[in-house]
C-alpha cells in the first residue's frame, strides 16, 4: 500500500528529525524499499526519497529527487523548500535565493518570508530579516506548531547574531513552549546557554536526550563546565 507506506515513512523521518536518532531514517528507507529506485514514483515518494538522501548528505541525488517531484507537481512547496535548504548548507546563497523566489509563487506569505529571511540573515542582513520574519509571523493567525518551532528557532538565532540576547532567549523559550520535540531547537538553545556561561541550565534541558549524538555532545560540555 503505497499511501500507507508513505505515511509511515514520513512519521519515521519526523521522529529522526525530532529526536536526533538516525535509526528512524533507516526504518523509513526500509518502508519505501519497494519504491526506492522506481522511476515513475509519485511526487510524495520522490519527496520522501529526497528527504532521506539529504539527511545522509547525499545532496546531489536528493536535489535530483526534489527536481523530479517538482516536475510531477510544480506547486510542491516542500520539495522547493528542501532544495533551498540544501543550497544553504552548501553556501550557494544566490541559488538558494532563487529557490525562495520560485517557492513564493506557490507558498503562503509566511513560508516565502521564512525562506528569504533565512538567506538574508545568513548573508549579513540579520536585523532586517528578523524584523520581516517576526512581522510575517505576527500577521498569521494560525501556524502549524512544527513550522512555528522552526521560525522561533530562526528568529532566536537572528536575534542572537545581532546581540539581542533577551529577544533570542524569548524566542527559544517560545519554541520550547509549543511542546514539539525538535533536536535542532534544543541544540541551538543549548549552544546559546553555553555561550552565555549558563551551563547549569543545559543539564536539565538535555538530561533525557542522550540518544541524540548532537545533544549528548552538548550535555557533556555542559557537565564538564
Amino acid at each position: 500500500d503505497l499511501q500507507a507506506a508513505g505515511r509511515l515513512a514520513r512519521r519515521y523521518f519526523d521522529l529522526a528529525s525530532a529526536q536526533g536518532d538516525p535509526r528512524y531514517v533507516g526504518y523509513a528507507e526500509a518502508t519505501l524499499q519497494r519504491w526506492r529506485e522506481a522511476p515513475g514514483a509519485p511526487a510524495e515518494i520522490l519527496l520522501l526519497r529526497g528527504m532521506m538522501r539529504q539527511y545522509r548528505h547525499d545532496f546531489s541525488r536528493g536535489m535530483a529527487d526534489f527536481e523530479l517531484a517538482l516536475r510531477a507537481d510544480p506547486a510542491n512547496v516542500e520539495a522547493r523548500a528542501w532544495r533551498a535548504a540544501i543550497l544553504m548548507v552548501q553556501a550557494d546563497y544566490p541559488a538558494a535565493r532563487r529557490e525562495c523566489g520560485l517557492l513564493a509563487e506557490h507558498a503562503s506569505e509566511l513560508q516565502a518570508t521564512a525562506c528569504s529571511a533565512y538567506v538574508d540573515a545568513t548573508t549579513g542582513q540579520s536585523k532586517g530579516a528578523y524584523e520581516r520574519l517576526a512581522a510575517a509571523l505576527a500577521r498569521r493567525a494560525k501556524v502549524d506548531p512544527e513550522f512555528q518551532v522552526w521560525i522561533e528557532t530562526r528568529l532566536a538565532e537572528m536575534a542572537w547574531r545581532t546581540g539581542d540576547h533577551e529577544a533570542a532567549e524569548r524566542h527559544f523559550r517560545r519554541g520550547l513552549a509549543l511542546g514539539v520535540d525538535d533536536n535542532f531547537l534544543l541544540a541551538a538553545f543549548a549552544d546559546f546557554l553555553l555561550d552565555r556561561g549558563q551551563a547549569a541550565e543545559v543539564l536539565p534541558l538535555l538530561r533525557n536526550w542522550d540518544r541524540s549524538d548532537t545533544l549528548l555532545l552538548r550535555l557533556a560540555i555542559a557537565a564538564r563546565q
Side-chain angles (χ1 to χ4, degrees):
D1 185 331
L2 182 60
Q3 289 187 336
R7 288 194 299 271
L8 180 59
R10 180 173 283 272
R11 178 60 180 144
Y12 279 140
F13 184 86
D14 289 344
L15 284 168
S17 298
Q19 300 184 11
D21 188 337
R23 290 176 295 184
Y24 287 116
V25 172
Y27 302 158
E29 289 173 334
T31 301
L32 295 180
Q33 184 63 39
R34 181 174 177 179
W35 303 277
R36 186 174 176 85
E37 301 298 338
E44 174 65 13
I45 298 303
L46 292 166
L47 173 66
L48 288 167
R49 203 166 70 187
M51 289 161 60
M52 288 181 278
R53 282 173 169 162
Q54 69 77 35
Y55 189 96
R56 296 186 179 280
H57 293 188
D58 185 354
F59 293 139
S60 60
R61 291 205 296 170
M63 289 289 275
D65 280 333
F66 295 136
E67 180 61 30
L68 289 173
L70 285 163
R71 288 181 192 173
D73 177 15
N76 193 316
V77 171
E78 197 171 3
R80 186 69 68 188
W82 275 112
R83 282 179 60 86
I86 288 175
L87 291 165
M88 288 295 292
V89 170
Q90 295 176 324
D92 190 345
Y93 303 124
R97 198 180 300 280
R98 287 194 296 272
E99 292 291 334
C100 289
L102 292 168
L103 181 145
E105 296 176 9
H106 302 284
S108 68
E109 181 212 7
L110 182 58
Q111 289 172 318
T113 302
C115 188
S116 61
Y118 188 31
V119 180
D120 289 345
T122 311
T123 54
Q125 304 172 61
S126 291
K127 190 174 187 300
Y130 174 87
E131 291 171 353
R132 287 193 298 110
L133 183 54
L137 178 60
R139 285 193 295 269
R140 185 72 175 264
K142 187 176 182 181
V143 182
D144 177 79
E146 285 78 10
F147 185 36
Q148 187 170 348
V149 164
W150 187 90
I151 292 174
E152 296 290 358
T153 306
R154 299 290 85 76
L155 287 170
E157 291 173 336
M158 292 173 196
W160 182 12
R161 190 172 291 150
T162 59
D164 190 344
H165 297 136
E166 183 178 341
E169 184 162 354
R170 183 170 66 250
H171 287 297
F172 278 130
R173 294 198 182 279
R174 281 180 183 172
L176 290 173
L178 292 167
V180 176
D181 288 342
D182 189 279
N183 188 75
F184 301 103
L185 167 62
L186 289 168
F189 190 28
D191 286 343
F192 173 80
L193 293 171
L194 289 168
D195 184 63
R196 301 280 291 160
Q198 298 169 253
E201 294 186 39
V202 175
L203 299 178
L205 179 71
L206 302 184
R207 181 171 290 124
N208 298 320
W209 288 90
D210 56 355
R211 62 187 175 278
S212 164
D213 288 349
T214 55
L215 299 184
L216 179 59
L217 174 62
R218 288 161 173 83
L219 187 61
I221 292 170
R224 182 173 184 177
Q225 288 186 8

